[in-house]
């Protein structure tokens, strides 16, 4: 199981100073976790769960961007080494630290404690704390060092005064402020960076003043504001200017110290701003935190937002569930009192319901048809809201103490908003409530708190509960008595969650604070005790539980130990453990339509999305190649029950699918007729979408359908992001019209004015200037619309002017260049500007509109064109230039997606411009072999030979020999080499005869004739087929050694010999034979990696080769100097200067072989020439791409494995090698397998990550 995506938490709202900026990054804290983003591309780099209790403030070291300080209500202050993800310095103080600031020089941090003490921590002296001054308890509201040196410390106080501590004299001076008048609290204060003594101060009454710290007097007052100013930041790029914000509106106001009124205002969002902070090296950029828990980066120079996050939860997410009818929608319930509905494909929140202050939400459930949603809170209240409007329709006090879980009974045909809701509470009752009226229908008493409640998925009125006493109880809610049908005992601590099995109706699982999971058989006719499995592995309380909908032997569990474990319940063992969450894992859920896609929620306040498609990849391959045989993969509940009730490991679990969705899919496939017109796209789409989830998969099918001319496969525009060039303009117009409609539904959020302006911008980008003007005017921006109207016609301009006069509602707005560039025929400048600002999606649309001549042309300058031929030639040149720019934008956009760890999104950029070969290649190199295979299959392109071999090996290991054979038929060496080799391994003799008609005797006879003909590849194959292992190794290795001494040998030649050698059982052979085969494999892989641009693999492969050759003293025909030269040349893709330096060092060495010097000089000349031509092409064209989810933060250092290839901690999922102890990263394993079949441990075992 590996992580694909995550939705990070939001910034907490309770403390203002929980954001921080450095030269190249920005950070914020949720309740207990730090989130570190890279400024260059706004990518989440790291998450650190910094404290066990609420963080109150964070600040970055002004001198070392690797150090970030945090403090929390646990009275702990920590300075984090971000690279190492470790606490560098830690201290404890006597009371809760509420504010802190890091001095610009020296190793000092000032802290304001809740008791009013202001202390200095000199952290290099560890526990040295110095009290500087005191203010009343809870009185410190602002603390600021002077930015020009740690000479003065400013403290803003709740009584409206300001205290200034002078470090040189250890004296304190006071500015009266509001302390003698209104006593309005100081809300923020900032020293003037250009002055020794001036400071700006904001008060809670909305006033703003400039003070002189030397005279302690107010020297200038500004225009009072209607709302209190919550944050101030100096605009260092504009001397004398500063920004203010309020938590009431999403505006930043720009002021100058010499003027009373604001100069201007910048809209930064639709909700209030909690805090604003400048970036040290880019004074036009500011980080903003919002009241809705989102963050953003604003450029005050362009008055635009460079980045805006979705408003995530700022506290523990206790539960997460899928929308029952839409696998792209989930809902979450959090300790912050909010229920949020999210669209997975956009990571955006679509609806939000608030339970109110002091309401901490623990459980959540959708009602019938998902028209309503319910949640329970810490006060015992059951809430019900309408999903479409967010309107609360029920608030029912079900329990006298906490209510932990809720479950809506959706069995049968129930009307929206009806049915029964079960809740469990700390008052010792499980309640069944009428969802419509709020009436409590039944109350089941327990001897302790009731935590887990769950309705049976297939049996009416059956409810299971988990209790504080460690027991699981089964109830029939329609029976008149209040006694349970069964009491399942075995846990030694409270039961937190219970889960009925979706396929085996008599089974259920329970998770407990005793750190175990127990599986129960509740069939009254059973023989023996009800407990049939006892799963041990978690090291803390078990929380989330989820049965797999298709694989009845698989169970997922989450725990306070921050892990998600995958269990093979039939065998009674844990088969995988995920460490990426940084705190307790509470919620686990999957949608039946996407059973191999999992979502989890945690106290680290993130939502994470996982795939475990690897375990069913052989099923997927079988369905793709033999779709009408899918019914043979289906199992029955009886088969599953027989395995589950047998002793652990005593019965082999059938390799089948058991869920309702797989059965429905098989039935649907049977109805699709087999035709001769090529692969059926609808069938392939259904199969792949069932087994695989990737961001943008719907767009993927739409693009392929458009290229193929298969309109039935093209989905609607509302959920799509990337469009094919043929449909791009029309779909963008459709989106604009949808935005401009007066109704806003799910996924169409925002005020009408904002939607109209967004629609206008879309129309502008596609060249529909008339609609641009209309929408802009409807949004109230008449002056801008009138300015652009002449580009349509003089009459249209006159009409717009008359309408404007009639409405008398013109309003000014910020000037923008885009309309004028479009109107004046300079669309290419808009494209360039969008590219420069990394707004590549917008550039893509404009470039397409320009390429299709939909935008106004530039006015002709000079005389008429001399001839029609010249005019046609000029038109062709213009069209070619526009096309090149269009495709260049697509490539830039693809690179952006690839860098973000979304290779499918990147590939779709190429599909959008009909470059299927580039899309397929990118998918292959980014470790998406199934999607690459499907792309080639549907577009009629040649399959990638490496993908075919890897996928065939996957099918073969699962015993699906026919599928493996069908895959290899498409390989260039399939019929002549790979299929005969597989025939030697295949236990099915009928299949083997189809792939090769040779017997072992015939192979033995062919050895001599092949050697006589100097056909060493055929001789090696024949020796393997004759089972003459040592001779095969000798022939093959000798041939490869001779080949390596030729300057013109090719990878294809080498593979013709390596393929038979890779079929040898090396464990049965001599050490010399093993070493020779491994050395040849490593060298061929090394050369292929260099040729393909897989520079990440070059050093590990070279080291592997060196180790084998040196340790086994092999007479290898290639010198280690030549290997070093290959390494140095390959590194030019990463660092040209270093590569040239390494090559020059080799030339300068007297030991460097003379025959290699010309080759080395050629490498240097080629690298220099490439550098002069602009460098190497991006990874969208060549080399290895980033795997899906490859950009996500990794697990904690203490859980990370060390790679045997790099000797560094593995980022992302690890891949366990054959000794079950050592690891490489999954990315490295997948990359390695593309060029070398053998494990990097040099044991002779294969590496099989696919």
């Amino acid at each position: 199981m590996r992580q694909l995506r995550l939705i990070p938490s939001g910034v907490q709202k309770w403390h203002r100073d929980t954001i921080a900026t450095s030269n190249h990054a920005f950070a914020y804290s949720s309740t207990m976790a730090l989130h570190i983003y890279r400024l260059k591309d706004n990518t989440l780099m790291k998450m650190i769960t910094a404290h066990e209790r609420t963080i109150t403030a964070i600040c970055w070291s002004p001198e070392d961007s690797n150090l970030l300080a945090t403090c929390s209500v646990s009275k702990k202050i920590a300075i984090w080494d971000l690279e190492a993800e470790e606490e560098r310095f830690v201290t404890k103080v006597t009371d809760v630290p509420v504010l802190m600031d890091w001095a610009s020089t020296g190793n000092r941090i000032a802290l304001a404690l809740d008791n009013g003490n202001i202390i200095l921590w000199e952290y290099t002296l560890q526990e040295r704390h110095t009290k500087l001054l005191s203010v009343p308890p809870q009185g410190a509201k602002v603390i600021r060092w002077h930015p020009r040196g740690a000479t003065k410390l400013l403290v803003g106080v709740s009584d409206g005064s300001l205290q200034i501590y002078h470090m040189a004299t250890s004296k304190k001076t006071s500015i009266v402020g509001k302390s003698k008048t209104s006593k309005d609290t100081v809300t923020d204060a900032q020293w003037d960076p250009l002055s020794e003594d001036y400071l700006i101060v904001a008060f809670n009454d909305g006033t703003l003043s400039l003070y002189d710290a030397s005279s302690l007097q107010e020297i200038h007052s500004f225009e009072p504001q209607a709302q209190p100013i919550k944050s101030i930041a100096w605009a260092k790029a504009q001397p004398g200017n500063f920004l203010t914000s309020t938590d009431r509106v999403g505006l930043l106001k720009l002021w100058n110290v010499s003027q009373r009124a604001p100069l201007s205002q910048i809209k930064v969002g639709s909700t209030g701003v909690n805090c604003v902070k400048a970036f040290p090296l880019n004074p036009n950029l500011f980080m903003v935190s919002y009241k809705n828990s989102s963050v953003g980066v604003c450029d005050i120079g362009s008055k635009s937002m460079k980045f805006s996050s979705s408003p995530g939860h700022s506290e523990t997410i206790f539960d997460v569930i899928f929308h029952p009818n839409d696998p792209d929608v989930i809902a979450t319930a959090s300790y912050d009192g909010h229920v949020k509905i999210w669209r997975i494909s956009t990571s955006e929140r679509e609806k939000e319901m608030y339970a109110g202050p002091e309401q901490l939400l623990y459980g959540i459930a959708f009602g019938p048809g998902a028209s309503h949603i319910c949640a329970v809170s810490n006060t015992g209240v059951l809430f019900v809201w309408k999903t479409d409007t967010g309107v609360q329709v029920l608030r029912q006090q079900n329990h006298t103490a906490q209510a932990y879980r809720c479950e809506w009974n959706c069995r049968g045909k129930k009307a929206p908003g009806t049915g029964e809701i079960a809740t469990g509470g700390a008052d010792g009752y499980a309640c069944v409530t009428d969802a419509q009226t709020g009436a409590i229908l039944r109350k089941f008493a327990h001897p302790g708190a009731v935590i887990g409640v769950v309705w049976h998925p297939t049996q009416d009125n059956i409810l299971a509960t988990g209790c504080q006493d460690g027991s699981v109880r089964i109830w029939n809610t329609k029976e008149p008595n209040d006694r349970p049908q069964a009491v399942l005992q075995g846990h030694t601590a409270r039961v937190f969650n219970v889960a009925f099995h979706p396929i085996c109706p008599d089974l259920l699982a329970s998770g407990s604070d005793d750190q175990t999971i127990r599986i129960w058989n509740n069939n009254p006719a059973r023989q023996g005790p009800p407990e049939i499995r006892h799963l041990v592995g978690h090291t803390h309380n078990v929380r989330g539980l989820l049965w797999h909908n298709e694989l009845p032997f698989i169970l997922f569990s989450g725990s306070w130990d921050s892990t998600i474990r995958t269990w093979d319940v039939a065998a009674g063992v844990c088969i995988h453990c995920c460490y990426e969450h940084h705190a307790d894992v509470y919620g686990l859920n999957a949608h039946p339509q996407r059973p191999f896609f999992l979502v989890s929620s945690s106290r680290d306040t993130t939502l994470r999305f996982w795939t475990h498609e690897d375990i069913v990849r052989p099923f997927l391959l079988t369905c793709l190649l033999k779709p009408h045989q899918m019914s043979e993969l289906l199992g029955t509940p009886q088969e599953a029950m027989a395995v589950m009730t047998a002793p652990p490991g005593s019965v082999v679990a059938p390799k089948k699918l058991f869920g309702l969705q797989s059965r429905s899919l098989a039935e649907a496939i049977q109805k699709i007729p087999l035709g001769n017109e090529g692969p059926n796209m609808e069938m392939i789409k259904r199969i792949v979408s069932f087994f695989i989830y990737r961001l943008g998969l719907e767009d993927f099918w739409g693009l392929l359908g458009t290229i193929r001319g298969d309109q039935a496969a093209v989905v609607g525009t509302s959920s799509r992001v990337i469009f094919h060039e043929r449909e791009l303009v029309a779909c963008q117009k459709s989106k604009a019209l949808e935005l401009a409609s007066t109704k806003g539904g799910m996924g169409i959020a925002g005020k009408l004015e904002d939607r109209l302006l967004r629609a206008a911008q879309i129309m502008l980008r596609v060249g529909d200037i008339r609609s641009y003007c209309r929408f802009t005017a409807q949004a109230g921006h008449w002056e801008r619309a009138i300015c652009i109207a002449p580009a349509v016609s003089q009459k249209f301009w006159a009409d717009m002017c008359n309408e404007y006069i009639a409405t008398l509602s013109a309003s000014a707005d910020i000037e923008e260049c885009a309309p004028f560039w479009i109107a004046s025929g300079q669309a290419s400048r808009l494209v360039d500007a969008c590219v420069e600002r990394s707004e590549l999606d917008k550039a893509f649309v404009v470039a397409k509109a320009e390429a299709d001549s939909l935008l106004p042309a530039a006015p002709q300058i000079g005389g008429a064109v001399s001839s029609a031929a010249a005019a046609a030639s000029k038109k062709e040149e213009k069209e070619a230039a526009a096309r090149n720019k269009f495709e260049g934008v697509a490539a830039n956009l693809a690179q952006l997606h690839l860098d973000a760890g979304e290779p499918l999104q990147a590939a779709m950029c190429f599909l959008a411009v009909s470059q299927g070969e580039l899309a397929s290649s990118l998918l292959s190199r980014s470790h998406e072999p199934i999607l690459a295979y499907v792309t080639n299959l549907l577009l009629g392109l040649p399959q990638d030979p490496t993908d075919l071999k890897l996928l065939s090996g996957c099918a073969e290991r699962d015993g699906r020999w026919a599928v493996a054979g069908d895959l290899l038929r498409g390989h260039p060496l399939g019929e002549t080499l790979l299929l005969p080799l597989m025939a030697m391994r295949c236990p099915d003799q009928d299949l083997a005869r189809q792939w090769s008609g040779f017997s072992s005797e015939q192979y033995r006879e062919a050895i001599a004739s092949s050697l006589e003909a100097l056909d060493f590849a055929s001789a090696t194959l024949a020796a393997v087929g004759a089972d003459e292992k040592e001779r095969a190794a000798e022939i093959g290795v000798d041939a490869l050694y001779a080949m390596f001494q030729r300057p013109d040998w090719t990878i294809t030649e080498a593979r013709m010999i390596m393929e038979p050698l890779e079929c040898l059982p090396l464990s049965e052979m001599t050490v010399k034979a093993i070493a020779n085969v491994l050395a040849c494999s490593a060298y061929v892989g090394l050369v292929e990696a260099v040729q393909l641009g897989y520079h990440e693999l070059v050093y590990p492969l070279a080291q592997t080769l060196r180790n084998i050759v040196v340790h086994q003293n092999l007479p290898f025909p290639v010198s280690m100097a030549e290997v070093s030269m290959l390494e140095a040349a390959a590194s030019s893709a990463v660092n040209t200067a270093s590569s040239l330096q390494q090559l020059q060092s080799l030339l300068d060495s007297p030991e460097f072989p003379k025959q290699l010097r010309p080759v080395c000089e050629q490498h240097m000349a080629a690298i220099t020439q490439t550098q002069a031509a602009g460098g190497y092409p991006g990874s969208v064209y060549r080399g290895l791409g980033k795997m899906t989810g490859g950009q996500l933060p990794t697990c904690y250092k203490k859980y990370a494995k060390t790679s045997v290839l790099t000797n560094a901690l593995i980022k992302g999922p690890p891949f366990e090698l054959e000794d079950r102890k050592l690891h490489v990263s999954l990315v490295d394993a997948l990359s390695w397998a593309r060029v070398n079949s053998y494990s990097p441990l040099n044991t002779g075992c294969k590496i099989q990550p696919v």
Side-chain angles (χ1 to χ4, degrees), residues 717-723 729-741 748 755 758-759 762-763:
T717 64
S718 60
S719 63
R720 292 182 58 192
V721 177
I722 300 177
F723 300 92
V729 172
C731 289
Q732 288 289 305
K733 284 187 175 182
S734 175
K735 275 199 165 187
L737 293 172
E738 194 173 24
L739 281 168
S741 67
I748 308 173
R755 298 204 311 271
R758 286 159 57 196
I762 292 174
M763 288 301 192

Side-chain angles (χ1 to χ4, degrees), residues 459 474 485-486 488 505-507 521-528 530 641:
Q459 297 177 3
I474 313 294
Q485 284 188 337
L488 307 176
D506 293 327
L507 301 186
N521 182 358
N522 188 45
N523 189 330
R526 69 180 179 271
Q527 294 181 350
M641 193 67 178

Side-chain angles (χ1 to χ4, degrees), residues 1136-1217:
T1136 301
S1138 174
S1139 173
L1140 290 171
Q1141 186 178 1
Q1142 292 175 49
L1143 290 169
Q1144 187 61 53
S1145 297
L1146 290 173
L1147 286 173
D1148 293 342
S1149 171
E1151 298 176 0
F1152 192 64
K1154 289 182 179 180
Q1155 69 272 18
L1156 293 180
R1157 290 182 179 276
V1159 181
C1160 189
E1161 289 167 351
Q1162 289 170 12
H1163 280 304
M1164 294 183 70
I1167 292 167
T1168 304
Q1169 186 177 2
T1170 301
Q1171 186 180 24
Y1176 290 91
S1179 53
V1180 292
Y1181 293 115
R1182 186 173 185 269
L1184 294 167
K1186 191 173 285 186
M1187 186 175 70
T1188 304
Q1191 88 293 355
L1192 297 177
T1194 188
C1195 62
Y1196 269 151
K1197 182 179 179 181
K1198 63 182 178 181
Y1199 296 125
K1201 308 293 185 185
T1202 300
S1203 170
V1204 297
L1205 292 183
T1206 63
N1207 205 32
L1209 293 178
I1210 291 171
K1211 293 186 177 181
F1215 178 81
E1216 189 177 72
L1217 296 173

Side-chain angles (χ1 to χ4, degrees), residues 98-407:
V98 292
L99 299 166
M100 68 175 173
D101 197 30
W102 205 315
S104 59
T105 58
N107 301 320
R108 293 184 287 187
I109 292 177
L111 298 137
L113 307 186
D114 203 39
N115 61 12
N117 287 341
I118 311 299
I119 66 171
L120 180 69
W121 177 33
E122 297 177 270
Y123 53 85
T124 54
L125 302 178
Q126 292 300 325
E127 296 299 323
R128 181 168 173 180
H129 303 153
T130 305
K131 179 179 174 182
L132 302 180
L133 67 151
S134 290
V135 297
Q138 293 89 47
K141 299 301 176 183
V142 180
I143 186 168
R144 299 277 184 259
W145 285 105
H146 197 289
R148 299 176 70 178
T151 57
K152 302 185 189 79
L153 181 67
L154 169 70
V155 180
V157 188
S158 58
D159 65 2
S161 68
L162 297 115
Q163 310 296 322
I164 301 171
Y165 187 84
H166 301 264
M167 296 299 295
T169 61
S170 300
K171 299 292 185 182
K172 179 186 78 170
T173 57
S174 299
I175 296 175
V176 172
K178 302 284 184 177
S179 61
K180 296 293 180 70
T181 54
S182 64
K183 295 190 179 296
D184 279 291
T185 298
V186 175
T187 54
D188 200 9
Q190 292 284 355
W191 293 100
D192 185 340
L194 301 178
S195 165
E196 286 293 336
D197 295 305
Y198 288 175
L199 58 143
I200 297 283
V201 184
F203 298 92
N204 199 49
D205 61 357
T207 57
L208 184 67
S209 297
L210 178 66
Y211 285 91
D212 184 343
S214 59
S215 67
L216 307 179
Q217 298 297 313
E218 181 186 62
I219 58 174
H220 182 61
S221 64
F222 299 88
E223 188 178 87
Q225 300 298 293
Q227 298 97 17
I229 291 168
K230 293 298 183 183
S231 186
I232 304 171
W234 286 96
K236 295 179 182 178
Q238 305 171 19
N241 288 0
F242 62 94
L243 296 169
T244 63
S245 68
T246 172
D247 62 1
R248 307 290 176 84
V249 293
L251 294 174
L252 298 181
K253 292 189 177 181
L254 182 67
W255 306 72
N256 185 272
V257 290
S258 63
Q259 299 184 34
R260 275 183 52 78
L263 302 176
S264 63
Q265 61 186 28
I266 305 168
K267 185 173 183 180
V268 293
S270 57
T271 186
V273 175
N274 277 337
C275 189
V276 57
K277 292 200 174 182
F279 285 88
L281 284 187
N282 195 329
N284 272 328
L285 292 187
F286 289 80
M287 183 181 182
V288 181
S289 66
Y290 297 94
K291 198 172 180 180
N292 66 359
S293 296
S294 63
V295 297
V297 176
C298 175
D299 185 336
I300 65 167
S302 63
K303 298 185 177 181
S304 63
M305 294 301 295
K306 295 296 185 185
F307 168 71
S308 294
S309 73
S310 188
H313 287 292
S314 56
E315 262 284 8
T316 301
I317 304 173
F318 280 112
D319 207 0
V320 57
I321 53 170
F322 271 94
H323 189 294
N325 304 326
D326 188 346
D328 195 38
V329 173
I330 56 172
T332 54
S334 170
Y335 194 88
D336 62 16
H338 288 85
V339 167
K340 300 193 181 196
I341 298 177
W342 305 82
R343 185 157 296 278
I344 299 171
S345 56
T346 62
S347 298
E348 293 293 328
R349 179 207 61 186
E350 295 202 334
K351 280 286 182 293
E352 181 173 308
M353 286 74 87
Y354 184 46
E358 310 302 323
Q359 299 292 336
L360 317 177
L361 301 183
Y362 291 131
I364 188 173
F366 275 112
S371 63
H372 293 69
I373 194 168
C374 68
V376 287
S377 78
N378 63 312
T379 61
V381 175
L382 168 67
F383 299 89
V384 178
W385 295 273
K386 293 189 74 173
T387 308
D388 57 350
T389 64
V391 172
Q392 187 180 117
V393 295
L394 180 67
R395 179 189 173 111
Q396 171 70 36
Q397 188 74 48
N398 270 22
H399 300 275
T400 58
Q402 293 100 321
Y404 296 108
R405 308 292 290 171
C406 59
E407 183 85 4

Side-chain angles (χ1 to χ4, degrees), residues 568-582:
D568 180 343
V569 178
V573 296
C574 176
I575 57 176
H576 189 72
C577 189
C578 296
Y579 295 93
E580 278 80 355
H581 271 299
H582 291 184

Side-chain angles (χ1 to χ4, degrees), residues 512-516 536-542 559-563 565 567 577 579 1199:
S512 167
D513 287 2
D514 65 10
Q515 304 176 15
T516 71
V536 179
H538 281 297
T539 59
H540 216 313
N541 304 340
V542 178
S559 166
W560 274 14
D561 62 16
S562 77
T563 68
R565 288 182 179 264
W567 303 87
C577 189
Y579 295 93
Y1199 296 125

